[in-house]
Amino acid sequence: MKILVLNAGSSSQKSCLYEIPDANLPNEVLQPLWEGKVDWNQERNEPEIAVKTATGAVLQKSIDGDSRAAHVAYMLDTLTRGATQVIGQLSEIDVVGHRVVHGGLDYRYSVVITETVKKAITHLSNLAPDHNPAAVEGIEAIEKSLGTITQVAVFDTSFHSTLPDAAAIYPGAYEWVAKGIRRYGFHGISHQYCANRAAQILKRDLISLRLITCHLGNGCSLAAIKNAKSVDTTMGFTPLDGLMMGSRSGSIDPGILIHLLRQSDYSVEELDYVLNKASGLRGISGISGDLREIMTAINQGSDRAQLAYDIYVHRLQTGIGSMLASLGELDALVFTAGVGEKSPRIRQAACEAWEFLGLKIDPEKNQQQPVDVDIATLDSNVRILVIHTQEDWEIAQQCWQLLQE
């Protein structure tokens, strides 16, 4: 089965093609036959495409077109032509899987996309304005290029649909519940993949494990996983809640927003911009939302960069503590995504707070660019895993499983 995966961003379109045997889903991660990305960052005058194949062929160039449909069509053309050709014709593709950030209350599992599903994703754009509209554009671009091919929506929120009401419902007016105002959680595709991969690495059944997965990238979230289910998470009604992030504030006192609206002539749009684009590491440091640049500035003596780092670590440690409270005990702490996978200093700092629980990180292993390995000491009471998240592979697996039913 050939599965095309699309991950639509507000200023980019990523895609990859997997080939999975029809008989059995392999335990190991399969590498894609082909990967493509179109980036139309506003700083560039024209879109740029980058393609690579499993055999080492590469393509990088500026392209024409001013719509996602045109860019997707160009990207698909590289599957069947030129040095990056990996299939004879597009009709060989069996299914297209899409990452959709918000599925609301109705979509607790991956589903085949129908007009009803597409309308629901569009309707939920008010809860994920930077992501759901892009996903719909991607779906429609595939319809234009590949006609009636089966398309599947894999939702970032669905893994967290198992949250108990005590974790999901906010302590505001009870009328909010009927309006769908609750904790949805995000990064679910990554948390789900990492939970399953952790069970493989530890050679344990996932249902027997209690895990905290730390997805630390530009966006950051934690998940508490028990009996193979998400029972708590840090992101909430929107991806703005929870940990301090690259440019998002994470959790703050809602009274601050009321104060600013009353006293400082902020508009709703200005508040939205500040909280999502000008807060977090970027807002505190005044330098960047990229932790690598923060670390460079710290080494150059920047007090604001140091403060940004200290707040980030404090919020991460307290977030892990809140997840511990939902689990009662812990078998493994998992780090993933850009910062989680590549920053030994953040992993070390996150773990230091829990040494009293017998959680011990091995300094040497932590520094060795670990991938899918345990970096705890042999005598640690808790395993510490660094896992390379594979969201596209998780989407491909869910497409394969859905089409077997």
Side-chain angles (χ1 to χ4, degrees):
M1 183 185 296
K2 290 185 174 66
I3 301 173
L4 183 71
V5 174
L6 261 69
N7 188 336
S10 57
S11 61
S12 67
Q13 179 69 64
K14 299 177 184 178
S15 187
C16 56
L17 181 71
Y18 292 94
E19 185 168 23
I20 300 178
D22 290 330
N24 294 295
L25 193 62
N27 289 326
E28 71 276 7
V29 176
L30 294 184
Q31 296 306 307
L33 303 177
W34 166 99
E35 296 175 78
K37 180 182 180 182
V38 178
D39 192 337
W40 53 91
N41 191 301
Q42 291 180 352
E43 294 177 2
R44 296 193 179 98
N45 293 325
E46 52 191 1
E48 186 173 278
I49 186 170
V51 178
K52 63 180 180 178
T53 70
T55 57
V58 295
L59 168 70
Q60 188 162 351
K61 60 182 292 188
S62 296
I63 61 174
D64 297 325
D66 59 358
S67 69
R68 192 180 299 269
H71 299 147
V72 169
Y74 194 102
M75 192 163 57
L76 293 178
D77 192 54
T78 70
L79 280 164
T80 61
R81 296 186 186 184
T84 59
Q85 178 182 354
V86 293
I87 55 176
Q89 51 192 3
L90 293 177
S91 59
E92 293 178 35
I93 300 171
D94 296 288
V95 58
V96 180
H98 297 264
R99 173 179 176 251
V100 181
V101 166
H102 215 307
L105 287 172
D106 293 331
Y107 295 100
R108 301 168 69 91
Y109 306 97
S110 300
V111 295
V112 173
I113 296 171
T114 63
E115 280 302 312
T116 300
V117 172
K118 194 163 71 169
K119 288 178 181 176
I121 295 170
T122 301
H123 177 71
L124 288 163
S125 292
N126 64 326
L127 299 183
D130 290 338
H131 298 95
N132 273 34
V136 172
E137 287 181 8
I139 293 165
E140 292 177 342
I142 291 296
E143 289 173 346
K144 187 171 291 188
S145 291
L146 300 181
T148 59
I149 190 171
T150 299
Q151 298 193 67
V152 171
V154 181
F155 299 97
D156 239 355
T157 50
S158 62
F159 182 60
H160 301 299
S161 64
T162 55
L163 293 180
D165 284 349
I169 295 175
Y170 288 104
Y174 186 72
E175 291 74 17
W176 291 1
V177 179
K179 295 179 179 180
I181 298 175
R182 50 162 284 151
R183 184 179 302 280
Y184 289 100
F186 300 90
H187 295 143
I189 298 169
S190 176
H191 287 297
Q192 186 170 12
Y193 170 80
C194 289
N196 285 309
R197 185 72 182 112
Q200 288 180 333
I201 293 168
L202 297 173
K203 296 180 171 57
R204 297 267 301 273
D205 288 332
L206 180 56
I207 200 166
S208 72
L209 290 172
R210 301 191 189 202
L211 306 172
I212 296 175
T213 48
C214 307
H215 180 105
L216 306 176
N218 185 50
C220 302
S221 68
L222 309 179
I225 299 166
K226 179 181 178 182
N227 297 328
K229 297 178 180 179
S230 174
V231 295
D232 205 352
T233 190
T234 52
M235 282 183 169
F237 179 63
T238 73
L240 184 58
D241 199 6
L243 302 177
M244 181 183 188
M245 306 178 219
S247 64
R248 298 178 205 152
S249 65
S251 300
I252 60 172
D253 179 354
I256 294 171
L257 310 184
I258 297 170
H259 172 80
L260 290 173
L261 287 169
R262 283 177 172 166
Q263 305 294 330
S264 302
D265 293 326
Y266 268 86
S267 67
V268 171
E269 289 74 21
E270 287 169 333
L271 274 180
D272 181 270
Y273 176 81
V274 168
L275 294 172
N276 281 287
K277 306 294 185 183
S279 294
L281 290 171
R282 175 173 294 154
I284 297 298
S285 72
I287 297 166
S288 173
D290 189 320
L291 187 66
R292 293 168 296 186
E293 295 185 28
I294 298 295
M295 302 309 297
T296 298
I298 289 172
N299 292 334
Q300 294 171 348
S302 169
D303 291 339
R304 284 182 59 179
Q306 183 66 59
L307 177 61
Y309 173 84
D310 291 343
I311 297 172
Y312 185 95
V313 169
H314 173 74
R315 292 297 185 98
L316 176 56
Q317 290 174 336
T318 56
I320 291 171
S322 71
M323 297 298 105
L324 273 171
S326 295
L327 294 175
E329 60 182 270
L330 183 63
D331 295 299
L333 181 65
V334 179
F335 293 95
T336 193
V339 174
E341 294 174 30
K342 297 177 181 177
S343 176
R345 184 168 174 178
I346 287 295
R347 293 193 297 263
Q348 179 76 40
C351 292
E352 284 173 352
W354 311 109
E355 289 180 354
F356 74 94
L357 296 179
L359 183 152
K360 301 177 184 178
I361 190 169
D362 185 313
E364 278 191 37
K365 291 179 181 177
N366 186 39
Q367 292 290 338
Q368 293 172 354
Q369 298 181 325
V371 178
D372 288 16
V373 295
D374 182 359
I375 59 170
T377 60
L378 293 176
D379 63 340
S380 177
N381 292 339
V382 178
R383 308 328 300 164
I384 305 168
L385 306 180
V386 181
I387 294 177
H388 174 50
T389 190
Q390 303 259 21
E391 292 173 290
D392 290 339
W393 173 239
E394 180 65 31
I395 292 169
Q397 290 181 94
Q398 293 195 32
C399 290
W400 186 93
Q401 290 165 343
L402 187 62
L403 267 61
Q404 304 305 307
E405 295 176 358

